[in-house]
Amino acid sequence: MNTRHDNTRQHILETGQRIIVGKGFASVGLNEILTAAGVPKGSFYHYFASKEQYGQALLQDYFDRYLAELDALFAAEAGCGRERLMRYWQTWLDKQVDACAEQRCMVVKLGGEVADLSDAMRVTLRDGTEQVVQRIARVIEAGVADGSIPPMDAPAIAQTLYQLWLGASLIGKLHRDGAALANSSVPQGVVIEVTNFPVVFDSLGRPQTGAASAKVGGFSLSVTAETGLVQGQ
């Protein structure tokens, strides 16, 4: 495949993403994408056997670029683990409340829509989000190692935080504002600021004895030794 073809394929993907992230997958026809891209239908089928295969390639391209940006954001020289995690959160917040639709998360836009339409696209979304969670877990582990984040089950916390952010992003779409995303920073603060708790953790991140409490973001929080769970009031 020559350079011209490579560029044409990428141009079709990028044009489609700009349209689909605003309108959804099912409601956008190939003619709209190809007209916007200035590419004939024959060229489209040179690269993609169907709209479904195109959608899968579009999602894979999205995750390839997103994960590369995440790797740069989480680079070791960019600060301690806590700072890198908070920088990721702020970047997510900035993009999701940006008036420019093409900056927004494709997982939030397409996750619910295509999961029942295309198994190939569902698997691409699943695998991509799992890689995002793995990277978040690694930066949490780095924070534990450098002392900026308390000992905890990094994979489980990473999964919880990512699910929290996705849900808040979806609620933000319903309300057309950033309040849900801003509010979701409180539970995240619970996870990070738990360092201030006067608790001794064991090797698994569980309080050894008794219970502890503290104030975080205006919430009354407690950690119980029996479960190791943070509870808020």
Side-chain angles (χ1 to χ4, degrees):
M1 189 176 291
N2 61 37
T3 302
R4 179 178 61 82
H5 283 169
D6 284 343
N7 289 339
T8 300
R9 181 181 187 277
Q10 189 63 30
H11 178 56
I12 296 172
L13 289 172
E14 292 175 356
T15 301
Q17 180 182 329
R18 287 194 295 271
I19 298 172
I20 289 171
V21 78
K23 295 184 175 182
F25 184 75
S27 64
V28 176
L30 291 182
N31 285 339
E32 181 177 358
I33 295 171
L34 297 178
T35 298
V39 174
K41 186 170 289 188
S43 294
F44 175 88
Y45 287 109
H46 176 79
Y47 303 109
F48 312 104
S50 63
K51 187 185 178 186
E52 179 185 23
Q53 188 185 84
Y54 170 72
Q56 183 182 15
L58 183 148
L59 288 171
Q60 186 60 60
D61 180 70
Y62 167 78
F63 278 114
D64 287 345
R65 289 182 287 107
Y66 187 88
L67 293 169
E69 292 173 2
L70 198 55
D71 288 340
L73 193 67
F74 283 166
E77 62 271 17
C80 68
R82 183 186 187 282
E83 291 170 344
R84 283 179 274 160
L85 183 62
M86 297 303 289
R87 190 178 300 117
Y88 173 59
W89 160 248
Q90 189 60 54
T91 300
W92 183 314
L93 180 62
D94 292 343
K95 286 186 176 182
Q96 286 301 112
V97 300
D98 195 299
C100 181
E102 63 190 72
Q103 293 292 322
R104 297 175 186 168
C105 179
M106 290 286 284
V107 180
V108 174
K109 184 64 180 181
L110 299 184
E113 178 187 358
V114 305
D116 295 327
L117 293 178
S118 165
D119 198 57
M121 293 177 69
R122 178 191 65 80
V123 170
T124 302
L125 278 165
R126 181 202 65 192
D127 293 348
T129 56
E130 286 180 353
Q131 292 182 70
V132 173
V133 172
Q134 289 168 7
R135 282 163 168 78
I136 296 172
R138 287 200 292 268
V139 84
I140 291 174
E141 289 170 347
V144 171
D146 66 31
S148 61
I149 296 175
M152 60 180 62
D153 184 343
I157 294 298
Q159 185 75 45
T160 298
L161 288 175
Y162 188 67
Q163 291 171 353
L164 171 70
W165 296 337
L166 284 178
S169 296
L170 180 58
I171 295 298
K173 284 174 60 64
L174 298 178
H175 290 271
R176 297 188 183 277
D177 62 33
L181 277 166
N183 291 338
S184 68
S185 66
V186 172
Q188 178 186 276
V190 169
V191 174
I192 303 304
E193 298 299 340
V194 75
T195 341
N196 296 328
F197 278 32
V199 182
V200 177
F201 291 87
D202 65 17
S203 61
L204 297 178
R206 299 173 301 197
Q208 290 185 357
T209 59
S213 63
K215 286 277 189 179
V216 178
F219 285 76
S220 296
L221 306 172
S222 63
V223 179
T224 60
E226 292 75 15
T227 64
L229 296 176
V230 176
Q231 298 177 326
Q233 298 179 352

